[in-house]
Amino acid sequence: MTSTTADILISGGLLVSGSSTTKMDVAVTGEKIIDVSPHPSNIEAKRTIDATGLYVLPGLIDAHNHPINLDKMDSFTLSAAFGGITTVIPFMQNMRSRGIEGTTSETIDRFIEESNEISYLDFGVHAILFGDDDVEIEVPKLIENGIISFKMYMTYPRRGMMMPDDRMLKAMSLAAEAGGIAMVHAENGYCIDFLTDNFIDEGHTSREYYAKSQPRILEVEAANRAATYASVTDCPLYVVHLSAREVLDVLRRYREEGNNVFTETCPQYLDLTNDTLMEHGALAKIGPPLREREDNIAMWEGLQNNVIDTIASDFCGFSKAHKYAGGRSSAAVEAMEEIDENASIFEASFGGNWTEQMLPVVYEEGVNQGRITMMRLVQVMCENPAKIFGLYPQKGTISPGSDADIVLFDPAMKHVLSAEAQHCKADFTMFEGKEILGKPVFSMQRGKTLIEHGEMKSEQGNALYLPGDVNLTASAPKGHRVK
Ligand SMILES: [Zn+2]
């Protein structure tokens, strides 16, 4: 570029992609990146942002989150933005269990409409399919509307969430036919219920029995079964939130046999153990459960040797009271006189708020500790999720023609994670007090400033719905391969 003037020039930073870290200037005009050239470039711009001493990263993608509780798309995306995320892919499902009528696609239509109004960030959508969904109608219809990924739970039968195996096979074959991708929460729900019932019968409902009620073998069994079904139906498979050390070899084997198997883990499975649950009880109850240090180490190794492709948050925004109160209604929670920290662990709600702390934790424990490189971080938090879900190269990369979603990251900034400092409504974090060296300090979405000087500079109502493109996915014949 020589003669034209760009709107914005990000000058002198270290641009990180999945394959290099180089000192580059990035030019943005309108919503797009128009030029990436070695620094110092001779690009003229109306505004120059000095990125000296900072990493320049593609905006991160959080491809696993549930903004349907206390935190919805407004406060969830606000929190995510402060964590260096510029694109989110939330899960949406039929809400019949909450008394809201409508099919999955109707619920998703409403969700997109509402998110267009309240989200701070561009968003795709994954569908969750339950046993009562008419998958023959829903799967093709959703794919046509750009919802190309379908999550199924292999657990929670009593919560009405588990997908029966025969329906899972049907959904996978329909998804495969139309270029979609199946996602699974891999845990054996019948075994979990069996073990849980036994503990409850014996009066063992304190926190120490939680991890014992959902052992690693149940994740391994379910992941193996899901990969078998995906292989039989020739359906691409994405296994969410890996947590058990043994599951990696199982999924690697399917991949080596030529199956399209993709995998994800989360910051909590990289950095926290059952000790956190023993300390905080219900607040740290998640499914799969926090496991052992050996499992954290295995997840890092999985990231190092490319068995794990992505890191996402599995965000669910609950207040402390909601966590302790389990499935009770909001009114019932508000009516609670006091929180009983020693109530049955089996009654507590699943889930935690992890999105804002995700990049700081992965950077601190991954890059600062020498477990992964900055380039690998960009692969697993930017490039790979965009590729797997058909959003690349619009999202996930800093390249000419891509959306100008850019994060500046200061590797020298110290900060401490806390509930006080986070921007979601949830009033706790399991990373409370964790010291971090390195922080996202600036971000933009499609050329418009999001975060600057510790403040949200954008408004709700600018977000774009991002339909996934089945021809671009990592599993499509001519798609973008993950690294
Ligand atoms: Zn989840």
Side-chain angles (χ1 to χ4, degrees), residues 177-195:
E177 229 167 79
I181 178 167
M183 307 170 78
V184 290
H185 173 143
E187 283 189 291
N188 183 312
Y190 289 125
C191 289
I192 291 174
D193 282 350
F194 173 81
L195 293 170

Side-chain angles (χ1 to χ4, degrees), residues 342-459:
N342 293 312
S344 168
I345 192 71
F346 298 112
E347 295 295 321
S349 295
F350 289 90
N353 54 87
W354 319 95
T355 195
E356 191 166 340
Q357 291 87 15
M358 179 164 70
L359 171 59
V361 167
V362 171
Y363 183 79
E364 176 66 30
E365 294 296 329
V367 178
N368 285 347
Q369 299 297 322
R371 295 185 175 111
I372 58 170
T373 63
M374 203 59 191
M375 292 180 285
R376 183 65 182 148
L377 184 148
V378 166
Q379 287 176 357
V380 299
M381 300 180 90
C382 310
E383 294 179 355
N384 288 349
K387 289 174 175 176
I388 293 167
F389 298 112
L391 301 177
Y392 191 90
Q394 181 186 358
K395 301 296 188 188
T397 178
I398 295 180
S399 306
S402 297
D403 282 358
D405 293 356
I406 298 170
V407 171
L408 301 183
F409 186 89
D410 184 348
M413 187 174 283
K414 282 187 191 165
H415 60 120
V416 178
L417 301 179
S418 69
E420 181 75 27
Q422 73 190 7
H423 295 80
C424 56
K425 290 181 180 164
D427 53 354
F428 66 96
T429 168
M430 288 296 99
F431 293 116
E432 187 72 38
K434 189 174 180 69
E435 293 179 11
I436 306 280
L437 178 62
K439 188 178 186 180
V441 291
F442 173 92
S443 67
M444 66 166 66
Q445 175 125 73
R446 286 179 283 111
K448 197 169 187 298
T449 301
L450 281 173
I451 302 294
E452 191 173 22
H453 306 309
E455 284 174 21
M456 169 55 79
K457 300 289 186 187
S458 184
E459 312 87 37

Side-chain angles (χ1 to χ4, degrees), residues 64-66 91 151 153 185 240-241 314 316:
H64 185 159
N65 45 78
H66 305 270
F91 287 100
K151 178 169 155 187
Y153 289 94
H185 173 143
V240 300
H241 53 43
D314 199 5
C316 299

Side-chain angles (χ1 to χ4, degrees), residues 154-278:
M154 301 175 79
T155 184
Y156 309 136
R158 290 180 191 161
R159 297 165 72 195
M161 294 165 74
M162 190 178 83
M163 192 62 154
D165 286 16
D166 56 342
R167 301 300 293 157
M168 195 188 312
L169 279 158
K170 186 71 200 172
M172 282 180 171
S173 70
L174 289 163
E177 229 167 79
I181 178 167
M183 307 170 78
V184 290
H185 173 143
E187 283 189 291
N188 183 312
Y190 289 125
C191 289
I192 291 174
D193 282 350
F194 173 81
L195 293 170
T196 301
D197 286 348
N198 285 350
F199 284 130
I200 291 172
D201 286 349
E202 292 160 7
H204 292 148
T205 60
S206 58
R207 55 189 70 171
E208 66 196 281
Y209 295 98
Y210 179 62
K212 291 176 185 161
S213 70
Q214 8 238 312
R216 300 195 306 273
I217 189 175
L218 304 186
E219 179 177 340
V220 176
E221 184 282 322
N224 188 70
R225 182 157 37 105
T228 303
Y229 293 173
S231 169
V232 166
T233 55
D234 203 16
C235 183
L237 177 69
Y238 179 99
V239 186
V240 300
H241 53 43
L242 297 191
S243 67
R245 66 194 85 154
E246 298 89 347
V247 79
L248 300 173
D249 277 343
V250 172
L251 294 175
R252 185 194 352 233
R253 202 178 66 233
Y254 280 91
R255 195 183 286 182
E256 282 168 1
E257 286 164 4
N259 299 288
N260 273 310
V261 176
F262 306 101
T263 58
E264 167 199 285
T265 192
C266 311
Q268 52 273 34
Y269 299 116
L270 288 162
D271 193 43
L272 302 179
T273 67
N274 191 47
D275 292 351
T276 299
L277 181 103
M278 291 308 292

